[in-house]
Amino acid sequence: MRQYTPVNFADVAIEGSFWHERLETVLTRTIPSQHRQLDEHGILESLTIPEPPPPLRIPRNSHAFTTQIFWDSDVGKWIEAASYALRHRRDAGIEAQIDAITEDLARAQLPDGYLNCWYIGREIENRWTNLRDNHELYCAGHMLEGAIAYYQATGKRRLLDVMLRYVDHIAETFGPDAGQRHGYCGHQEIEIALIKLFAVTRDRKHLQLAAYFINERGRHPPHYFDVEAKARGDDPAAFWARTYEYNQSHAPVREQTKVVGHAVRAMYMYAAMADLVAEFDDAELKRTLETLWSDVTTKQMYVTGGLGPSKHNEGFTKYYDLPNDTAYAETCASVALIFWAQRMLNIDLDGGYADVLERALYNGALSGLSRDGEHYFYENPLASDGSHRRWRWHTCPCCTMNVSRLVASVGGYFYSTGPDTLAVHLYGGASTTVSLDGGAVSLRESSTYPFDGSIRIALDPHEAMRFKLCLRIPDWARDVAATVNGEAVDVMSSTVNGYLQITREWRPGDVVALDLPMPVDRIYAHPRVASDSGRVALRRGPLVFCVEGADNPAASVPLIGLPREARLDVDRRPDLFGGIVTVEADGTVASLDDWPDVLYRGEPAVRTPHRFTAIPYYLWNNREPGEMAVWLPEA
Amino acid sequence: MRQYTPVNFADVAIEGSFWHERLETVLTRTIPSQHRQLDEHGILESLTIPEPPPPLRIPRNSHAFTTQIFWDSDVGKWIEAASYALRHRRDAGIEAQIDAITEDLARAQLPDGYLNCWYIGREIENRWTNLRDNHELYCAGHMLEGAIAYYQATGKRRLLDVMLRYVDHIAETFGPDAGQRHGYCGHQEIEIALIKLFAVTRDRKHLQLAAYFINERGRHPPHYFDVEAKARGDDPAAFWARTYEYNQSHAPVREQTKVVGHAVRAMYMYAAMADLVAEFDDAELKRTLETLWSDVTTKQMYVTGGLGPSKHNEGFTKYYDLPNDTAYAETCASVALIFWAQRMLNIDLDGGYADVLERALYNGALSGLSRDGEHYFYENPLASDGSHRRWRWHTCPCCTMNVSRLVASVGGYFYSTGPDTLAVHLYGGASTTVSLDGGAVSLRESSTYPFDGSIRIALDPHEAMRFKLCLRIPDWARDVAATVNGEAVDVMSSTVNGYLQITREWRPGDVVALDLPMPVDRIYAHPRVASDSGRVALRRGPLVFCVEGADNPAASVPLIGLPREARLDVDRRPDLFGGIVTVEADGTVASLDDWPDVLYRGEPAVRTPHRFTAIPYYLWNNREPGEMAVWLPEA
């Protein structure tokens, strides 16, 4: 059912300044520093199983949960990110680091293939007894993704072979047959990895195992997590999250219509489901995903593409519950939303998916990485009193490697090919050469997007050939103009599902110009979003803006307002963050001078004119800590 | 330092319809039904210690905390409420119930006086090992308050004597001497009870023990809760709340300047501190309380008098953090605020304390009890999507008896006497006879307050006598008029600290008329309160209003707005809740008809005129469940 194939990031050269800067930062600073952090925090050492194993630091099934059970996944995700880096440029040092990890893993692996370092080192007798909480398959999935990426980057098979033995063990352990466990992981992830593995091995066993985990999920009674809880002597009702909605196993996946629970688990699951739609031409599963997509994007998504308002379940609560200062909006959730969106996009080439992908990419996901490449947000609130700061590392470092693997492979989100079709999803200066039925085509897109919407696309087919060029017209763009070799294209009539379609015989040297005007737009939230009632946000192109204390020392950010008719100016600031665009606005500020020391009174605060500066949201908290707001009172 | 003495509720006859209805409901329905609930939930049975004791249902020091350790306190609080009821009218059935409880307690009491039924029944070897978490002294305090109230109501000493033996044991166990534990309860409460006991016994040992608990609190190093945690083999750093701010022991009480942590604990502590100010003429402690009072009322209090926005710590977070739909605002916290406010008021006769007392009484506290007297709110949010409902009972039933003991003794908040002074704090139809230096004075206040501000006060001194009558002028009142025997009083020039002072020779038959006009007021929150930004609330007299779905079936409540200039009408509704006043407003409603199925767009929602009805907040959720909002978009 998938009609389009993403062009692999390794075949896309990032040339535009925006992503080139981010990519170089990730390659030269983030990935090396992440290895140092994994080392300094004992995570790499945890792969080296001592003899005898150290005693348990926490009692089993205690509520004193430890993030150490995730450590294999953190290493796997770093290997994946580092392997993507290797495809940009080989690096013997990184390879040596991954090879050393590989040897630790090979030594730790049990004769039957089992390979989870926490369980092997601490409580091997308890393996596979708590899929609900203890992330064994999740860890396996991330390590598998790392092994695949490393194999693809270097051709070295050793880590992949280790993981293949583990996958064989998993495939023997889990499945529908008598004697197998009819289970699945409390934290979905391995499904994505197994489908990636299938793309390498073409062994349908790997695809089938992914499909099994998805299709078995939430089938009951008896519910698998009830069964295994009883088997280990626990009361299933004592599950801390109280509901299997937490891990999306409350119902069979095909019967799910609302996006609930832990946001990252949900997004990883939907991404895997989208892969299965494509692999199995599964129309029913596709309808399920369309329902879930609509549910999350029309009722539960922050304007930044952030997902999951609640810290309690790291996930969803109820429709339109989108508080700003307490937004959880985990970086991982936005990254995983991008994974899902890309898969949906390549099934249908519907710009709605790309719009969400771009929203999350430039805002809720990219905000997770500091400009220096070595600090992170785990949570991405949309307002702050100054206390929310970037971390150098996190007790649960999942987000750190999620954002580095995303940026290291960002080129993979720019282009897709389909039958006689070349689709461009993102802009910002990237070139590639793809094979269509008629032959090879080189494409070079040049722009300073996302700061400017003037885009030039130079096409260079090996020889004149007819195909359809699809250029994404973002949902925020109005008054779009395009030309081919200087001749105007009727954008309106040629745009289908958010893509301007130009089918013609393309010749070497053809140039398409696309103009996406970027005025500053005011954004209003659905009136049921109580947190944004009476408030307005600013967006320019794909970038959501915020007001930060560092640019606005003369006023307290929460007191700054923006009247409906106030003038908004665009300011190009080569001095700021290596060159960005800011918004300058004739706003207001609530005066506290005449407000007595009371909480409530009969008159609203007097507001006085106050010109303020807004910067792109993803850049906040890269200077001194301070207040921040995305949604401003319209006053 | 206390200059004024509250007139005991037993000496105040509640005659006005508002409080008479609430009081009768509590006497005839709430208190009997609470006994049934205590019985049905096994709480009464828990006082009957079987032989041998039942096994622990939960492991010690587990995070699987049980509310059963509070059960003694629930019984004690019910005895207190029921004893207040007995002072309105004797009831042999209630006395038999309390006597039966007394016998259980007497049987359970250990030879050394110790009397905590949880510990005696389950883990006596662990008594006094976890004051931080396990509420032993809190339970003792509530049972002591119950015993005092029962003794005062009936003259029966048996329960009081049992508790006196327990107090002796506590006084031996805790204190500054070598061999004593230098501890205090994680949940303050016993301090209030001991000071009440001192009022009965005049034994300074009881007062000194209360003072010890207050003054020792938060003194470190070493911190008592660290010491006891280590002694029982726990890591003090593993304290779930992470900070001793949770129980206000992070610093010596006199050094505290910010209201932090669990709201009920804080309020109980401040109430006890205010008692100590009065008893010891402690000017330093008074300054501390004034600082804390200002802190909470100017930065951390809901417009309803609700306290504590967070469910996590059942308490305070940061300044101006007052979310509406997730407001915790526990009923107990507003009740306890009333306790504190009354004590401050009787030190200084400053109307600011009475204003907060009244705000909490008519709104955040009274909302905790249903109109039928048998359903409760534990949390009192200021907005609801319809999912927040009253409980018939609660796992932790602390609030149920807190509101019943408050209403059963509400007459005690109306009047105070001081040197040649009679002060009237509340209105609503109440009469009393008090002794001043010159002799006895009867006072009958008649009004339909809080629905109308036309107040008549008939004074009937035994014979002509000179004294100062102080009539509270609420902070919300403007254009106040008053007459004495029909002759106008200059209210402005005669009002000091929120009290209209009329000093004269009063004669039998004198009548004071006080007119407190009650227009509907718009209320705005401090501009730092992000949740109320762009929103307006309605207040008339002391009542905060809300919009509830039951009165507004034609629109979804969160979509209802109130433009700044819109007309507000008062509607007398004898048909509703036995006769109330509603507010009818020419509001607006956000139209969803033209809002597509998206979360964000470039234009705010179109609003159309929509007349709506608002009812007093305390009455919400007494009909079918539905949406509710206090703060309306000003749109």
Side-chain angles (χ1 to χ4, degrees), chain A residues 301 524 526 556 599-601, chain B residues 301 524 526 599-601:
Chain A
M301 181 179 70
Y524 297 89
H526 192 286
S556 177
L599 261 173
Y600 306 103
R601 71 174 200 185
Chain B
M301 180 180 71
Y524 298 88
H526 192 287
L599 261 173
Y600 306 102
R601 71 174 201 186

Side-chain angles (χ1 to χ4, degrees), chain A residues 18-286:
Chain A
F18 184 90
W19 283 112
H20 188 264
E21 185 277 331
R22 289 286 76 195
L23 182 60
E24 281 299 309
T25 300
V26 164
L27 298 183
T28 60
R29 304 199 57 172
T30 309
I31 288 169
S33 71
Q34 288 178 342
H35 188 273
R36 284 195 301 276
Q37 295 283 2
L38 291 169
D39 193 17
E40 288 170 12
H41 286 82
I43 298 177
L44 294 179
E45 190 190 349
S46 76
L47 309 179
T48 310
I49 311 296
E51 191 72 52
L56 274 180
R57 289 191 208 167
I58 54 156
R60 239 192 102 210
N61 299 328
S62 159
H63 286 266
F65 190 71
T66 171
T67 55
Q68 295 179 35
I69 63 163
F70 311 153
W71 281 1
D72 286 7
S73 76
D74 297 322
V75 176
K77 209 149 41 170
W78 179 80
I79 293 173
E80 183 185 348
S83 298
Y84 293 164
L86 292 175
R87 297 190 83 170
H88 292 282
R89 57 183 80 117
R90 292 295 285 265
D91 182 316
I94 287 177
E95 288 188 41
Q97 289 167 339
I98 298 176
D99 292 342
I101 292 166
T102 300
E103 293 313 311
D104 282 338
L105 292 170
R107 266 190 298 272
Q109 189 165 36
L110 298 190
D112 66 3
Y114 181 83
L115 180 50
N116 179 291
C117 293
W118 169 265
Y119 274 97
I120 293 172
R122 306 295 179 95
E123 45 172 330
I124 187 59
E125 69 280 13
N126 295 324
R127 68 175 176 174
W128 304 135
T129 59
N130 190 350
L131 297 187
R132 187 190 73 191
D133 300 329
N134 285 353
H135 291 59
E136 276 163 293
L137 291 170
Y138 167 88
C139 285
H142 273 306
M143 194 61 81
L144 181 56
E145 285 196 89
I148 294 166
Y150 190 55
Y151 166 68
Q152 290 175 324
T154 64
K156 295 183 186 175
R157 286 195 61 99
R158 181 148 167 81
L159 180 56
L160 183 63
D161 287 339
V162 165
M163 290 310 298
L164 279 167
R165 282 196 295 281
Y166 190 15
V167 169
D168 285 344
H169 170 78
I170 293 168
E172 286 161 17
T173 306
F174 295 93
D177 294 342
Q180 288 185 303
R181 293 173 192 261
H182 310 316
Y184 37 84
C185 195
H187 197 316
Q188 305 92 314
E189 206 292 324
I190 194 172
E191 299 85 356
I192 292 173
L194 288 167
I195 299 165
K196 283 189 179 178
L197 183 64
F198 168 66
V200 174
T201 63
R202 303 311 296 176
D203 182 343
R204 288 193 70 83
K205 178 176 77 174
H206 300 144
L207 181 62
Q208 294 292 356
L209 185 56
Y212 175 75
F213 285 139
I214 292 293
N215 290 317
E216 184 64 20
R217 192 172 200 85
R219 284 187 53 196
H220 52 83
H223 192 289
Y224 184 74
F225 295 152
D226 284 355
V227 172
E228 63 158 25
K230 287 178 190 159
R232 64 175 185 264
D234 281 355
D235 176 8
F239 179 38
W240 73 269
R242 295 192 184 180
T243 165
Y244 291 142
E245 286 191 351
Y246 175 68
N247 51 40
Q248 297 84 35
S249 70
H250 56 295
V253 298
R254 289 161 196 276
E255 296 173 18
Q256 297 188 24
T257 57
K258 286 181 66 170
V259 172
V260 295
H262 187 278
V264 181
R265 295 172 203 233
M267 296 302 124
Y268 282 171
M269 180 171 86
Y270 306 150
M273 287 162 65
D275 280 335
L276 295 181
V277 167
E279 296 294 345
F280 290 98
D281 284 348
D282 190 330
E284 180 189 58
L285 204 55
K286 180 168 185 271

